[in-house]
Amino acid sequence: MINIVLPVDFGDKTEQLVEGAVKFAKQLNGRIFLIHVAPSDIGFAIGDMGYQYFPEVEANEIRAELVELNKIEQRIIAHDIDCEHLLKQGIAKDTILEYAKAKNADYIVMGSHGRSGIYDVFVGSLTKGLTKDSHVPVLVLPIHD
């Protein structure tokens, strides 16, 4: 069976990305390893007293993201595709590559939102970083309006 790692960010194009990954998995008789990488600084905020940590904010955000991840997993399973998920805090690129290695991934499926130029210079592109550093093929699905 082909192992496909599918990182999701819960953005407005996530559904299109999942649909594309499901099609790909069906064609290859693959299973999907769904991952969401939450930032490590979720519970931090800048206030009058500088940086403050609010563990209840972090816990609530992680719970909400886990609910979303479970919903996506169930939609994938409804298409008769094996799926499991992981929610982890950390640096997205490194965490995704570690997960791909741990799951013996044959592919990583990512979406390209069509951003370019100045956006990539200042923010960087997770997809670009993964294609550069991955030891397995990265399938980039165009996700546009």
Side-chain angles (χ1 to χ4, degrees):
M1 188 170 273
I2 300 297
N3 295 333
I4 301 164
V5 169
L6 176 62
V8 294
D9 64 3
F10 309 130
D12 59 346
K13 303 296 182 191
T14 297
E15 190 58 37
Q16 284 179 281
L17 177 62
V18 170
E19 287 174 17
V22 164
K23 280 184 185 179
F24 185 60
K26 282 187 175 212
Q27 290 172 348
L28 297 176
N29 188 32
R31 72 177 134 206
I32 294 178
F33 293 95
L34 193 58
I35 183 170
H36 173 70
V37 182
S40 298
D41 61 355
I42 286 177
F44 287 93
I46 300 174
D48 296 343
M49 300 167 62
Y51 281 102
Q52 295 178 325
Y53 175 63
F54 299 95
E56 64 280 356
V57 171
E58 181 177 68
N60 287 338
E61 184 66 26
I62 293 294
R63 262 193 302 279
E65 290 177 349
L66 193 53
V67 166
E68 287 303 310
L69 202 56
N70 282 320
K71 287 178 185 176
I72 294 170
E73 179 184 33
Q74 292 308 308
R75 286 198 303 267
I76 292 169
I77 290 171
H79 289 280
D80 289 327
I81 296 172
D82 288 340
C83 184
E84 65 181 63
H85 71 269
L86 174 70
L87 187 149
K88 189 168 183 180
Q89 286 182 277
I91 298 169
K93 183 183 83 165
D94 297 339
T95 304
I96 292 165
L97 290 174
E98 289 168 12
Y99 190 56
K101 184 175 182 180
K103 294 300 179 182
N104 296 315
D106 297 291
Y107 295 94
I108 299 172
V109 174
M110 296 287 299
S112 171
H113 297 286
R115 296 181 184 122
S116 61
I118 297 296
Y119 180 86
D120 282 344
V121 169
F122 289 108
V123 178
S125 168
L126 176 58
T127 301
K128 187 187 300 181
L130 284 171
T131 56
K132 179 178 167 265
D133 295 337
S134 178
H135 295 290
V136 299
V138 178
L139 175 64
V140 180
L141 302 178
I143 307 295
H144 304 289
D145 291 326

